[in-house]
mmCIF file of all heavy atoms in Angstrom:
data_model
loop_
_atom_site.group_PDB
_atom_site.id
_atom_site.type_symbol
_atom_site.label_atom_id
_atom_site.label_comp_id
_atom_site.label_asym_id
_atom_site.label_seq_id
_atom_site.Cartn_x
_atom_site.Cartn_y
_atom_site.Cartn_z
ATOM 1 N N ASP A 1 94.477 75.090 89.317
ATOM 2 C CA ASP A 1 94.632 74.055 90.324
ATOM 3 C C ASP A 1 93.405 73.775 91.144
ATOM 4 O O ASP A 1 93.384 72.947 92.043
ATOM 5 C CB ASP A 1 95.820 74.401 91.243
ATOM 6 C CG ASP A 1 95.646 75.749 91.912
ATOM 7 O OD1 ASP A 1 94.579 76.383 91.721
ATOM 8 O OD2 ASP A 1 96.542 76.178 92.611
ATOM 9 N N GLY A 2 92.316 74.532 90.875
ATOM 10 C CA GLY A 2 91.040 74.339 91.525
ATOM 11 C C GLY A 2 90.913 75.099 92.831
ATOM 12 O O GLY A 2 89.890 75.032 93.514
ATOM 13 N N VAL A 3 91.944 75.852 93.202
ATOM 14 C CA VAL A 3 91.903 76.646 94.435
ATOM 15 C C VAL A 3 91.306 77.982 94.179
ATOM 16 O O VAL A 3 91.649 78.684 93.238
ATOM 17 C CB VAL A 3 93.337 76.787 95.015
ATOM 18 C CG1 VAL A 3 93.341 77.652 96.246
ATOM 19 C CG2 VAL A 3 93.960 75.465 95.279
ATOM 20 N N THR A 4 90.350 78.382 95.056
ATOM 21 C CA THR A 4 89.704 79.685 94.950
ATOM 22 C C THR A 4 90.492 80.682 95.761
ATOM 23 O O THR A 4 90.843 80.451 96.923
ATOM 24 C CB THR A 4 88.262 79.629 95.457
ATOM 25 O OG1 THR A 4 87.530 78.661 94.669
ATOM 26 C CG2 THR A 4 87.562 80.971 95.348
ATOM 27 N N ARG A 5 90.787 81.832 95.137
ATOM 28 C CA ARG A 5 91.558 82.877 95.807
ATOM 29 C C ARG A 5 90.785 84.185 95.776
ATOM 30 O O ARG A 5 90.085 84.486 94.817
ATOM 31 C CB ARG A 5 92.899 83.069 95.060
ATOM 32 C CG ARG A 5 93.808 81.880 95.134
ATOM 33 C CD ARG A 5 95.062 82.114 94.309
ATOM 34 N NE ARG A 5 95.959 81.021 94.379
ATOM 35 C CZ ARG A 5 95.865 79.894 93.648
ATOM 36 N NH1 ARG A 5 94.898 79.767 92.764
ATOM 37 N NH2 ARG A 5 96.755 78.933 93.808
ATOM 38 N N ASP A 6 90.954 84.952 96.855
ATOM 39 C CA ASP A 6 90.382 86.305 96.929
ATOM 40 C C ASP A 6 91.216 87.238 96.046
ATOM 41 O O ASP A 6 92.454 87.204 96.117
ATOM 42 C CB ASP A 6 90.381 86.825 98.342
ATOM 43 C CG ASP A 6 89.421 86.033 99.252
ATOM 44 O OD1 ASP A 6 88.468 85.474 98.739
ATOM 45 O OD2 ASP A 6 89.664 85.977 100.477
ATOM 46 N N VAL A 7 90.582 88.031 95.223
ATOM 47 C CA VAL A 7 91.269 88.983 94.359
ATOM 48 C C VAL A 7 90.562 90.335 94.333
ATOM 49 O O VAL A 7 90.172 90.814 93.285
ATOM 50 C CB VAL A 7 91.407 88.407 92.924
ATOM 51 C CG1 VAL A 7 92.370 87.276 92.856
ATOM 52 C CG2 VAL A 7 90.053 88.034 92.378
ATOM 53 N N PRO A 8 90.517 90.989 95.482
ATOM 54 C CA PRO A 8 89.918 92.335 95.435
ATOM 55 C C PRO A 8 90.930 93.311 94.770
ATOM 56 O O PRO A 8 92.130 93.077 94.797
ATOM 57 C CB PRO A 8 89.807 92.687 96.932
ATOM 58 C CG PRO A 8 90.830 91.882 97.589
ATOM 59 C CD PRO A 8 90.968 90.626 96.811
ATOM 60 N N PRO A 9 90.417 94.296 94.069
ATOM 61 C CA PRO A 9 91.302 95.281 93.439
ATOM 62 C C PRO A 9 92.078 96.064 94.510
ATOM 63 O O PRO A 9 91.556 96.355 95.586
ATOM 64 C CB PRO A 9 90.365 96.169 92.670
ATOM 65 C CG PRO A 9 89.037 96.023 93.300
ATOM 66 C CD PRO A 9 88.987 94.642 93.868
ATOM 67 N N ASP A 10 93.310 96.406 94.224
ATOM 68 C CA ASP A 10 94.145 97.193 95.136
ATOM 69 C C ASP A 10 93.938 98.673 94.790
ATOM 70 O O ASP A 10 94.783 99.281 94.107
ATOM 71 C CB ASP A 10 95.607 96.773 94.995
ATOM 72 C CG ASP A 10 96.493 97.398 96.039
ATOM 73 O OD1 ASP A 10 95.992 98.258 96.790
ATOM 74 O OD2 ASP A 10 97.656 96.989 96.120
ATOM 75 N N VAL A 11 92.832 99.206 95.261
ATOM 76 C CA VAL A 11 92.443 100.573 94.946
ATOM 77 C C VAL A 11 93.479 101.593 95.419
ATOM 78 O O VAL A 11 93.810 102.526 94.718
ATOM 79 C CB VAL A 11 91.062 100.897 95.540
ATOM 80 C CG1 VAL A 11 90.657 102.316 95.265
ATOM 81 C CG2 VAL A 11 90.017 99.900 94.998
ATOM 82 N N ALA A 12 94.042 101.390 96.590
ATOM 83 C CA ALA A 12 95.026 102.339 97.162
ATOM 84 C C ALA A 12 96.264 102.425 96.278
ATOM 85 O O ALA A 12 96.767 103.514 95.969
ATOM 86 C CB ALA A 12 95.389 101.940 98.557
ATOM 87 N N THR A 13 96.775 101.307 95.812
ATOM 88 C CA THR A 13 97.970 101.313 94.935
ATOM 89 C C THR A 13 97.659 101.961 93.604
ATOM 90 O O THR A 13 98.453 102.774 93.110
ATOM 91 C CB THR A 13 98.504 99.883 94.733
ATOM 92 O OG1 THR A 13 98.829 99.337 96.021
ATOM 93 C CG2 THR A 13 99.697 99.875 93.831
ATOM 94 N N LEU A 14 96.522 101.637 93.016
ATOM 95 C CA LEU A 14 96.157 102.233 91.762
ATOM 96 C C LEU A 14 95.962 103.736 91.879
ATOM 97 O O LEU A 14 96.379 104.499 90.999
ATOM 98 C CB LEU A 14 94.883 101.576 91.197
ATOM 99 C CG LEU A 14 94.986 100.128 90.786
ATOM 100 C CD1 LEU A 14 93.634 99.504 90.461
ATOM 101 C CD2 LEU A 14 95.928 99.961 89.638
ATOM 102 N N ARG A 15 95.363 104.178 92.997
ATOM 103 C CA ARG A 15 95.200 105.631 93.207
ATOM 104 C C ARG A 15 96.524 106.272 93.354
ATOM 105 O O ARG A 15 96.801 107.369 92.829
ATOM 106 C CB ARG A 15 94.337 105.867 94.455
ATOM 107 C CG ARG A 15 94.065 107.358 94.704
ATOM 108 C CD ARG A 15 93.060 107.582 95.818
ATOM 109 N NE ARG A 15 91.731 107.221 95.337
ATOM 110 C CZ ARG A 15 91.007 106.231 95.854
ATOM 111 N NH1 ARG A 15 91.466 105.495 96.809
ATOM 112 N NH2 ARG A 15 89.808 105.959 95.347
ATOM 113 N N ALA A 16 97.461 105.659 94.073
ATOM 114 C CA ALA A 16 98.798 106.268 94.254
ATOM 115 C C ALA A 16 99.549 106.376 92.939
ATOM 116 O O ALA A 16 100.212 107.363 92.670
ATOM 117 C CB ALA A 16 99.627 105.378 95.244
ATOM 118 N N ILE A 17 99.435 105.340 92.078
ATOM 119 C CA ILE A 17 100.073 105.407 90.726
ATOM 120 C C ILE A 17 99.499 106.572 89.961
ATOM 121 O O ILE A 17 100.234 107.353 89.339
ATOM 122 C CB ILE A 17 99.868 104.085 90.012
ATOM 123 C CG1 ILE A 17 100.659 102.972 90.677
ATOM 124 C CG2 ILE A 17 100.227 104.204 88.530
ATOM 125 C CD1 ILE A 17 100.331 101.573 90.163
ATOM 126 N N ALA A 18 98.168 106.706 89.928
ATOM 127 C CA ALA A 18 97.530 107.787 89.158
ATOM 128 C C ALA A 18 97.946 109.149 89.709
ATOM 129 O O ALA A 18 98.320 110.045 88.940
ATOM 130 C CB ALA A 18 96.011 107.613 89.239
ATOM 131 N N GLU A 19 97.948 109.337 91.009
ATOM 132 C CA GLU A 19 98.314 110.613 91.604
ATOM 133 C C GLU A 19 99.775 110.950 91.310
ATOM 134 O O GLU A 19 100.097 112.110 91.007
ATOM 135 C CB GLU A 19 98.079 110.596 93.073
ATOM 136 C CG GLU A 19 96.573 110.658 93.447
ATOM 137 C CD GLU A 19 96.311 110.498 94.926
ATOM 138 O OE1 GLU A 19 97.274 110.420 95.716
ATOM 139 O OE2 GLU A 19 95.132 110.482 95.294
ATOM 140 N N ARG A 20 100.649 109.947 91.422
ATOM 141 C CA ARG A 20 102.075 110.217 91.229
ATOM 142 C C ARG A 20 102.424 110.627 89.789
ATOM 143 O O ARG A 20 103.344 111.370 89.546
ATOM 144 C CB ARG A 20 102.865 108.964 91.584
ATOM 145 C CG ARG A 20 104.368 109.204 91.565
ATOM 146 C CD ARG A 20 105.089 108.054 92.142
ATOM 147 N NE ARG A 20 106.513 108.343 92.160
ATOM 148 C CZ ARG A 20 107.419 107.636 92.748
ATOM 149 N NH1 ARG A 20 107.065 106.559 93.427
ATOM 150 N NH2 ARG A 20 108.657 107.956 92.697
ATOM 151 N N THR A 21 101.636 110.143 88.852
ATOM 152 C CA THR A 21 101.918 110.429 87.426
ATOM 153 C C THR A 21 101.077 111.605 86.868
ATOM 154 O O THR A 21 101.227 111.951 85.731
ATOM 155 C CB THR A 21 101.629 109.207 86.535
ATOM 156 O OG1 THR A 21 100.257 108.836 86.650
ATOM 157 C CG2 THR A 21 102.514 108.016 86.972
ATOM 158 N N GLY A 22 100.181 112.143 87.698
ATOM 159 C CA GLY A 22 99.328 113.231 87.223
ATOM 160 C C GLY A 22 98.092 112.773 86.519
ATOM 161 O O GLY A 22 97.368 113.549 85.902
ATOM 162 N N GLY A 23 97.780 111.462 86.647
ATOM 163 C CA GLY A 23 96.539 110.923 86.043
ATOM 164 C C GLY A 23 95.403 110.988 87.010
ATOM 165 O O GLY A 23 95.379 111.804 87.947
ATOM 166 N N GLU A 24 94.469 110.083 86.857
ATOM 167 C CA GLU A 24 93.296 110.030 87.705
ATOM 168 C C GLU A 24 92.926 108.557 87.945
ATOM 169 O O GLU A 24 93.133 107.717 87.042
ATOM 170 C CB GLU A 24 92.143 110.780 87.063
ATOM 171 C CG GLU A 24 90.971 111.001 87.966
ATOM 172 C CD GLU A 24 89.908 111.909 87.323
ATOM 173 O OE1 GLU A 24 90.198 112.563 86.305
ATOM 174 O OE2 GLU A 24 88.815 111.922 87.848
ATOM 175 N N ALA A 25 92.405 108.266 89.124
ATOM 176 C CA ALA A 25 92.037 106.875 89.463
ATOM 177 C C ALA A 25 90.511 106.750 89.398
ATOM 178 O O ALA A 25 89.767 107.631 89.826
ATOM 179 C CB ALA A 25 92.505 106.530 90.883
ATOM 180 N N PHE A 26 90.065 105.660 88.857
ATOM 181 C CA PHE A 26 88.632 105.380 88.764
ATOM 182 C C PHE A 26 88.350 103.979 89.354
ATOM 183 O O PHE A 26 89.279 103.138 89.425
ATOM 184 C CB PHE A 26 88.162 105.354 87.282
ATOM 185 C CG PHE A 26 88.325 106.671 86.597
ATOM 186 C CD1 PHE A 26 89.499 106.915 85.896
ATOM 187 C CD2 PHE A 26 87.364 107.633 86.651
ATOM 188 C CE1 PHE A 26 89.681 108.124 85.236
ATOM 189 C CE2 PHE A 26 87.508 108.864 86.003
ATOM 190 C CZ PHE A 26 88.670 109.080 85.274
ATOM 191 N N SER A 27 87.116 103.736 89.787
ATOM 192 C CA SER A 27 86.692 102.404 90.256
ATOM 193 C C SER A 27 85.433 102.028 89.527
ATOM 194 O O SER A 27 84.615 102.880 89.193
ATOM 195 C CB SER A 27 86.414 102.424 91.765
ATOM 196 O OG SER A 27 87.604 102.646 92.480
ATOM 197 N N ALA A 28 85.295 100.725 89.265
ATOM 198 C CA ALA A 28 84.105 100.238 88.604
ATOM 199 C C ALA A 28 83.753 98.889 89.194
ATOM 200 O O ALA A 28 84.557 97.946 89.113
ATOM 201 C CB ALA A 28 84.309 100.110 87.107
ATOM 202 N N ASP A 29 82.592 98.780 89.851
ATOM 203 C CA ASP A 29 82.159 97.537 90.426
ATOM 204 C C ASP A 29 81.413 96.629 89.451
ATOM 205 O O ASP A 29 81.323 95.417 89.626
ATOM 206 C CB ASP A 29 81.251 97.777 91.646
ATOM 207 C CG ASP A 29 82.017 98.463 92.762
ATOM 208 O OD1 ASP A 29 83.243 98.247 92.864
ATOM 209 O OD2 ASP A 29 81.373 99.180 93.583
ATOM 210 N N ASP A 30 80.808 97.231 88.389
ATOM 211 C CA ASP A 30 80.049 96.416 87.447
ATOM 212 C C ASP A 30 80.218 97.012 86.021
ATOM 213 O O ASP A 30 80.868 98.040 85.836
ATOM 214 C CB ASP A 30 78.583 96.357 87.829
ATOM 215 C CG ASP A 30 77.919 97.722 87.919
ATOM 216 O OD1 ASP A 30 78.267 98.643 87.150
ATOM 217 O OD2 ASP A 30 76.995 97.894 88.804
#
């Protein structure tokens, strides 16, 4: 639709998912 939206990654939610399941959370900026 031509509208620009902010889409930062939800690091906190991803970290919580990884911790709850026994996995690990990673971040990558590039």
Side-chain angles (χ1 to χ4, degrees):
D1 56 4
V3 177
T4 301
R5 294 177 179 82
D6 292 333
V7 290
D10 189 351
V11 177
T13 300
L14 293 172
R15 183 172 287 115
I17 291 169
E19 288 175 2
R20 186 171 184 171
T21 62
E24 192 173 346
F26 298 93
S27 293
D29 293 333
D30 59 33

